[in-house]
Amino acid sequence: MSGTLNKVMLIGHLGDDVKIHYFEGGNCIGRFPIATNESYTNKQTGEKVTNTDWHNIVVRNKPLRFVRNT
């Protein structure tokens, strides 16, 4: 599938420190969890509902660059 591009943008909260492992030859792998939230109001009860989903992210064989806002 040469020439294709897959792009995902997850905006959420970093759940743990990024764990990076480097291999011989310059390749690396990074792993970290991200939490995303979905909020809505239940129309029947009027109650505000928030659902949190956790995503385990793995990045590999690319130079890793992370921007962390605190």
Side-chain angles (χ1 to χ4, degrees):
M1 296 191 124
S2 149
T4 62
L5 173 69
N6 294 317
K7 186 175 185 177
V8 174
M9 185 180 299
L10 281 175
I11 300 174
H13 302 278
L14 191 61
D16 196 3
D17 291 335
V18 178
K19 293 169 180 60
I20 301 174
H21 181 77
Y22 295 94
F23 300 100
E24 291 180 19
N27 291 332
C28 58
I29 189 168
R31 299 172 188 259
F32 55 96
I34 291 181
T36 57
N37 297 320
E38 173 190 23
S39 298
Y40 62 92
T41 302
N42 185 320
K43 291 182 181 180
Q44 294 175 343
T45 64
E47 175 185 12
K48 183 176 180 181
V49 179
T50 301
N51 294 325
T52 301
D53 290 318
W54 285 94
H55 311 273
N56 291 311
I57 309 300
V58 178
V59 181
R60 60 184 178 154
N61 294 337
K62 299 286 182 186
L64 298 176
R65 182 181 65 150
F66 297 99
V67 177
R68 183 174 182 175
N69 295 330
T70 54

